[in-house]
Amino acid sequence: MNRNYFHLHLVSDSTGETLIAVSRAVAAQYQGTVSIEHVYPLVRNAEQLGRVINEIQSAPGIVLYTLVDQELSDELQASCAEFGAVTLSVLEPIVELFHSYLGPAQSPRPGAQHMLNSEYFRRIEALNYTMAHDDGQAVDDFEEADVVLLGVSRTSKTPTSIYLANRGIKTANYPLVPGAPIPPALFSLQRPLVVGLFASPERIVQIRENRLLSLNASDNTSYVDRQMVSDEVNQSKRLFHERKWPVIDVTRRSIEETAAAIMDLHRSHQLKFIAD
């Protein structure tokens, strides 16, 4: 049946992040169809589940869930079957695969992936560092970074840095500004992976024009002059080539795709750094 929208119910005994990520990845394949998300996090007892079931019944659709408690899982499936909502346990196929290979889980726990462990605190440390070293701040501390991103304005340095920090990678970034000298400290970095980001001049001009429009600022400036922007991009690419820094063209890449490429480079850089 063709639909231009549908109700998507995401039921989790944790934060619901897993369900949101998975469902949006699939929903993105259906252009022209809008998913109306209903997110129910921290569902851990029968009373909470009862309220969720009532809401699902008022707007049936697709129900995705991650519930460790088998009784709650069974109740959700049975209730949804009664009023025609389709259900799927997103984790069950993966749990069964782990079970077949590793045996039963020792202690199933809702939200176990969000425990306050060393990985969690590593991510917090990375976020704090990244925010303190955004847009060229505290250049003298860049040696402590895992990754340093360079690029002209509007090459997604900051959002990419924050995404990497959420993965536990301490990331600093520095903007390449026409006519502004580059701090010598950037040329003597040893530990961090330095990556150059660039985009097509056309794409950068488009983003900059939108930026000026949002600020109600005049677009009569070299900031959006196509020739000037082209010169900026070419100068940055020459710098990256001279320093033999890896480069990534972000013109048609999402933040996630750019970050994935950087993480792959970072893994190789770590191995080389350890070997040296």
Side-chain angles (χ1 to χ4, degrees):
M1 179 183 298
N2 292 325
R3 302 173 183 270
N4 55 16
Y5 77 92
F6 67 98
H7 292 278
L8 178 60
H9 300 272
L10 308 175
V11 187
S12 174
D13 51 22
S14 185
T15 63
E17 293 176 11
T18 299
L19 289 172
I20 292 171
V22 171
S23 63
R24 287 182 180 176
V26 177
Q29 308 303 312
Y30 292 85
Q31 297 183 9
T33 302
V34 177
S35 62
I36 301 174
E37 286 184 357
H38 307 264
V39 184
Y40 314 97
L42 303 175
V43 178
R44 298 182 178 179
N45 59 50
E47 182 180 355
Q48 293 169 334
L49 182 62
R51 291 196 292 268
V52 169
I53 290 172
N54 287 337
E55 292 196 34
I56 296 173
Q57 186 172 13
S58 67
I62 296 175
V63 181
L64 304 180
Y65 65 93
T66 53
L67 298 173
V68 170
D69 189 306
Q70 191 59 49
E71 290 187 7
L72 295 180
S73 176
D74 292 344
E75 174 62 24
L76 178 61
Q77 290 185 64
S79 298
C80 288
E82 291 180 4
F83 46 79
V86 294
T87 62
L88 175 68
S89 170
V90 170
L91 292 183
E92 186 174 345
I94 303 172
V95 170
E96 290 180 354
L97 178 63
F98 272 60
H99 188 167
S100 67
Y101 190 78
L102 301 174
Q106 295 298 315
S107 54
R109 293 172 297 168
Q113 72 272 33
H114 299 295
M115 297 294 286
L116 300 182
N117 54 20
S118 59
E119 173 67 17
Y120 174 83
F121 289 109
R122 186 167 71 90
R123 284 168 43 219
I124 296 301
E125 180 185 1
L127 278 166
N128 287 335
Y129 177 89
T130 298
M131 296 304 293
H133 297 81
D134 179 44
D135 203 30
Q137 297 182 78
V139 175
D140 290 341
D141 296 332
F142 275 22
E143 185 62 35
E144 300 175 17
D146 298 313
V147 171
V148 174
L149 303 180
L150 302 180
V152 303
S153 173
R154 303 296 120 184
T155 47
S156 303
K157 296 182 298 298
T158 293
T160 303
S161 296
I162 294 173
Y163 187 96
L164 290 169
N166 271 293
R167 294 300 188 91
I169 298 175
K170 293 196 293 185
T171 309
N173 72 76
Y174 189 88
L176 299 178
V177 179
I182 299 173
L186 288 178
F187 299 131
S188 60
L189 294 174
Q190 298 295 319
R191 179 180 178 275
L193 166 70
V194 182
V195 179
L197 304 182
F198 74 94
S200 70
E202 294 77 17
R203 178 59 176 159
I204 291 177
V205 168
Q206 180 186 36
I207 296 172
R208 289 182 180 183
E209 287 177 338
N210 289 337
R211 174 65 173 165
L212 293 177
L213 184 63
S214 69
L215 297 174
N216 293 319
S218 171
D219 61 0
N220 186 23
T221 169
S222 61
Y223 185 64
V224 292
D225 181 272
R226 280 170 169 73
Q227 184 57 54
M228 297 290 286
V229 172
S230 181
D231 291 343
E232 277 188 68
V233 173
N234 289 333
Q235 288 173 16
S236 72
K237 291 168 71 174
R238 281 195 295 270
L239 172 66
F240 303 151
H241 178 73
E242 290 170 2
R243 303 302 302 185
K244 297 181 180 179
W245 289 328
V247 298
I248 297 176
D249 183 353
V250 302
T251 304
R252 301 186 185 281
R253 288 180 186 260
S254 66
I255 299 302
E256 293 84 356
E257 290 171 325
T258 300
I262 293 170
M263 286 187 285
D264 189 46
L265 290 169
H266 180 244
R267 280 189 289 270
S268 299
H269 178 76
Q270 280 183 308
L271 293 174
K272 181 180 178 183
F273 189 79
I274 292 172
D276 293 342

